[in-house]
Structures are given as C-alpha cells and as structure tokens.
Amino acid sequence: SSGINAEWPLRPGNEATTAGFLSELGIELDEAQGLLSKLERLELIKKAVMELTNGHIAEIKSYSAPPVQVHKVLMALLIVLGEEPELVRDWFEIQVLLVKTGKLSLKRRIQEYNAGNLSTSSAKRAANIIGDIQSEELHSISKAAKVFYLWTSAVVEDRLAQDVIQ
C-alpha cells in the first residue's frame, strides 16, 4: 500500500470534521472581511477628512452659537482625539482648538490618529454625545461636521466592538 488512505473522505465522522473546519474557516473569513471593510471604511472617511478645506473648518469656527448637532460632533471628535470632556463643553474652547495649525491642526491629528490610545470610557462618552445624531441631518448643516461625525462614529464603533470581542 502506498500509504494513501483512499477511504478518507468516506470514513464515518470525517464529514462532520471537514464541515466543522470549513464553517469555522468561513466565520474567520467573514470576520477578516468585516475587519477589512471597516479599515477600508475608515480609510475612505480619513480621505474625506483630508479633503476638507480650511474654508470648511473656518465655516464651523465662525458659528458664535453653533447648531447643537455641530457642537455635539465637535465635542465627541475632540474627546476621541484626547481633549478633556469638560474643556470641550465650551464652544469658545472648541473654536480655539479649530484654529490650531501644523501638528496640532484637526486634520493632522486625525491623519496621525492612533485608535489604540482611545479608552473605553472616552469611546462611550463620545458615543453618548453623538448617539442621537443622523449623518443625513448634518448634510444640510455642514459638510465638515458630517465628515467629522462619520470619522468619530467609525472610530468609536470600532473601539466599542473590540470590547465586545475581548
């Protein structure tokens, strides 16, 4: 005998193991695809952030009293970026952060963002702040606020999903 087991696929019990392996592999592939599409989504959103002009950001900064949705989005965004929640309750403080340039500019901070630095508590706090906002309603108010909302909610969602997995 050549050592090849001709009965292998037909032996009782093997079908279950093979099916089990394949369904396990299928689940892992689905998870990998899910992670890939999350990464792709985040990259697309980050690209949209980078395409925002100084004019878009100046438009947000120019509000003396912003629409409540815009204030909430900026609060959540800045908490995710590491600002103190108490600080960003104040619109004036947000305006100060919006005009920073170079490494401290909002776009640069988003571009160089490391999601590993986001604590669960900050993610939950940001999620609570923007939880009642729909991206469609932002569309008519401010393009920049909508893009910041999409980025913030994607980062927060991914962070909170990690907690569920672990």
Side-chain angles (χ1 to χ4, degrees):
S1 142
S2 64
I4 296 171
N5 184 349
E7 310 163 35
W8 176 78
L10 307 173
R11 259 197 348 243
N14 275 7
E15 305 84 14
T17 336
T18 309
F21 172 74
L22 288 176
S23 75
E24 193 69 23
L25 184 65
I27 290 167
E28 286 179 12
L29 287 173
D30 285 348
E31 284 176 3
Q33 187 57 50
L35 289 172
L36 187 62
S37 58
K38 275 184 176 177
L39 280 172
E40 287 170 346
R41 178 186 65 164
L42 206 50
E43 281 308 307
L44 281 172
I45 296 168
K46 199 188 276 188
K47 191 170 182 279
V49 170
M50 293 308 121
E51 287 171 2
L52 289 175
T53 64
N54 290 339
H56 289 120
I57 294 169
E59 171 219 333
I60 290 182
K61 192 184 89 26
S62 71
Y63 289 119
S64 52
V68 67
Q69 301 96 319
V70 172
H71 192 168
K72 283 180 169 186
V73 166
L74 270 290
M75 279 172 67
L77 168 68
L78 289 162
I79 288 169
V80 166
L81 290 175
E83 297 296 337
E84 287 301 318
E86 292 67 40
L87 177 78
V88 296
R89 274 200 196 112
D90 182 350
W91 181 248
F92 175 76
E93 295 296 342
I94 290 176
Q95 288 176 308
V96 168
L97 292 167
L98 282 173
V99 296
K100 302 250 183 213
T101 56
K103 276 193 177 299
L104 296 175
S105 77
L106 221 46
K107 284 169 65 170
R108 178 79 71 84
R109 288 173 70 184
I110 289 170
Q111 188 175 23
E112 296 175 357
Y113 184 71
N114 176 357
N117 297 334
L118 180 59
S119 70
T120 302
S121 63
S122 291
K124 283 181 178 168
R125 183 171 260 168
N128 288 337
I129 292 170
I130 58 173
D132 61 345
I133 296 175
Q134 303 295 315
S135 71
E136 300 78 46
E137 63 182 305
L138 287 169
H139 193 73
S140 58
I141 300 171
S142 160
K143 179 187 176 180
K146 180 179 181 175
V147 172
F148 289 146
Y149 167 81
L150 291 171
W151 184 84
T152 304
S153 54
V155 169
V156 165
E157 247 174 64
D158 291 356
R159 180 64 185 86
L160 296 177
Q162 285 171 13
D163 286 353
V164 173
I165 293 166
Q166 288 166 355

